Amino acid sequence: MSVKRPTDRNEPKVTLQTLARHLSLAVGTISAALNDSPAARAIPEHTKRRILDAARELNYQPNYFARSLRLQRTYTIGVIAEQIGDPYGAMVISGIEEHLRESEYFFLTVIHRHDPQILQNYSRMLVTRGVEGFITVDTSITERPSRPTVAVAGHAPVPGVTNLILDQQLAARLVLTHLLELGHRDIAFIKGQAASSDSATRWAAICAVSKELGVRIRPELVVQIEEDLTTPQIGYPYAKELLARQKPFTALFAYNDLSAIGAIWAFQEAGLCVPQDISVVGFDDVPLAVFSNPQLTTVRQPLQQMGQIAAKTLIDQIEGKEKFQAEIVIEPALIVRASTGAAPRTSSSRMESSLEVAVLRRGKSMTRASSKTTTGPAKSRRQ
């Protein structure tokens, strides 16, 4: 049956009653089919199709305000994130948004930047605005929240919180085994910020797997990120610091892709080649990893899928469809690209030679700059 869609702006809004009159069906039948409620199971499939087709062609728009008042629900979720400008958070929130949109839920987002007072205040504000549950991203929760909660990258066991985590030990094993198979023995590490919820757990996993595989972690080859940036600049100064210590290494395992890409910049600036002199591995597999030069070998976290799983898990808990789960573990994958290669046979001499060349280049550059400054601009010759 073809239905002509109304075009007159002054025409009354299409309601459930409008659809019921048009299809000669009861309002309850229309409502059950559109909301896919348990009562809809008794409605024949051809009748459901008629209802959905008519609603679409007549441009029926559900009144969510009336629905919320009637059911005493807001269909709103609070998303609490450390920040949303970084690729990690953006991909997770994109997955959350996709599933909530399909489920006809809204979400409100707040950013706390690891400030406990802001986190507490914003949580209360979201509750006063009627959110039915929380999804946290890179946020450490220590107290039981007042609403059902799913924590993406949450690790501490907290009553009422489902922790959605990556298998960090498997991730560490994938990376270290890959580097060992390439012949790397002197491996440097960039640890994550202390405030990042994955940082301590990931480092503990790296230490445990290193001991298991016989990889020596040398303190002089370990640095920790302190800044909270959302660009590759976050890794640049720490790679410089590693080079300045003059302790040769042939591979770097960075906390995330941004710090790995920043490290590559620092190594190349020092005259070192990636991966010929130093192999580099990142973590997360954000879109920028493919556009790094060289393309970045990294641990893939299915970030968008994790956001979708978090949203589905929370809605299922709110609506009583699934039992509470304290933890959901996601499996990582190692994506091998061009930033890792066989360890150089003479790593010490090659790195030291490259560093000496870089120093000489800087010295010559500074001398030329000084010479230009003292002599001033050359006078033009007359023809």
Side-chain angles (χ1 to χ4, degrees), residues 197-361:
S197 58
D198 270 336
S199 186
T201 305
R202 186 168 304 162
W203 182 244
I206 289 172
C207 291
V209 174
S210 294
K211 185 176 182 180
E212 176 188 325
L213 299 178
V215 175
R216 180 189 172 198
I217 297 179
R218 297 159 55 188
E220 62 271 24
L221 293 182
V222 179
V223 291
Q224 183 165 18
I225 299 170
E226 295 179 1
E227 286 81 8
D228 196 14
L229 303 174
T230 59
T231 69
Q233 184 182 350
I234 193 171
Y236 179 87
Y238 301 100
K240 286 287 191 183
E241 182 180 339
L242 285 170
L243 294 178
R245 294 178 183 180
Q246 298 184 346
K247 303 294 182 182
F249 56 94
T250 64
L252 170 70
F253 185 7
Y255 179 64
N256 56 23
D257 291 342
L258 291 182
S259 58
I261 294 170
I264 291 175
W265 291 356
F267 295 154
Q268 292 173 340
E269 185 180 84
L272 295 164
C273 296
V274 176
Q276 290 83 354
D277 296 318
I278 302 177
S279 289
V280 178
V281 181
F283 207 108
D284 291 338
D285 196 27
V286 299
L288 193 59
V290 179
F291 296 97
S292 169
N293 185 21
Q295 291 187 341
L296 186 64
T297 294
T298 185
V299 174
R300 172 174 290 169
Q301 295 198 72
L303 297 174
Q304 189 155 355
Q305 182 186 1
M306 289 166 69
Q308 294 170 343
I309 293 172
K312 181 182 185 305
T313 300
L314 182 61
I315 291 176
D316 286 348
Q317 289 182 16
I318 291 171
E319 298 184 348
K321 294 179 180 178
E322 296 289 342
K323 292 182 179 179
F324 170 78
Q325 292 177 270
E327 188 174 85
I328 299 173
V329 181
I330 306 297
E331 189 170 304
L334 180 66
I335 308 301
V336 179
R337 298 193 180 102
S339 69
T340 51
R345 293 183 180 179
T346 54
S347 58
S348 297
S349 60
R350 290 183 67 175
M351 178 176 282
E352 289 169 2
S353 175
S354 295
L355 289 173
E356 288 173 3
V357 169
V359 171
L360 288 172
R361 285 176 180 168

Side-chain angles (χ1 to χ4, degrees), residues 54-73:
R56 182 171 52 255
E57 294 189 44
L58 289 172
N59 195 29
Y60 168 73
Q61 300 294 326
N63 187 331
Y64 288 106
F65 181 69
R67 180 190 183 198
S68 297
L69 288 175
R70 182 175 69 255
L71 301 177
Q72 294 296 297
R73 295 191 54 192

Side-chain angles (χ1 to χ4, degrees), residues 81-99:
E82 189 272 329
Q83 56 183 327
I84 57 174
D86 67 306
Y88 176 97
M91 292 180 70
V92 173
I93 292 174
S94 175
I96 293 170
E97 184 276 333
E98 182 177 344
H99 187 82

